[in-house]
Amino acid sequence: MLLKPIITEKSLKEAAKKRYTFATLVEVTKVDIKRLVEDLFKVKVLHVQTMIVPGKSKRRGKKGLTVNLSDWKKAIVQINPLEKIDLFETGGSK
């Protein structure tokens, strides 16, 4: 399951090279990610890279108790150079 696209300066530079970045659940495999992206965006996926990002610990409340956020997986998907995903395209200036 794809949770959300990751849209940062670096990911937008990579999107120009047809490499798109998504946040996923840790349990999802590369094969699952490839199928999901191909079904959702109707593109041909050439390559999938994944990495597990450890969750951060945050301080919450008046007593400053620490809460550990859960780990998540980052997936970088390389698609066919002739296709594109409109989700990552930047809008023009006003």
Side-chain angles (χ1 to χ4, degrees), residues 9-83:
E9 274 188 56
K10 184 176 181 178
S11 68
L12 290 177
K13 286 180 187 177
E14 290 291 313
K17 300 174 190 174
K18 305 298 180 184
R19 292 169 51 94
Y20 300 98
T21 308
F22 296 95
T24 65
L25 297 175
V26 176
E27 300 83 25
V28 180
T29 64
K30 289 182 180 186
V31 176
D32 295 336
I33 294 168
K34 180 178 178 178
R35 285 190 198 131
L36 281 168
V37 171
E38 287 179 344
D39 291 343
L40 284 174
F41 301 107
K42 307 296 187 240
V43 294
K44 174 70 176 152
V45 175
L46 301 177
H47 187 72
V48 177
Q49 288 180 307
T50 60
M51 62 198 78
I52 294 177
V53 180
K56 296 180 179 181
S57 53
K58 302 260 183 175
R59 296 182 64 158
R60 300 263 168 98
K62 289 183 178 180
K63 295 183 180 181
L65 300 174
T66 58
V67 176
N68 293 326
L69 301 178
S70 60
D71 298 346
W72 56 283
K73 186 181 276 190
K74 184 191 296 187
I76 301 172
V77 178
Q78 174 89 37
I79 65 168
N80 186 355
L82 303 176
E83 299 172 324

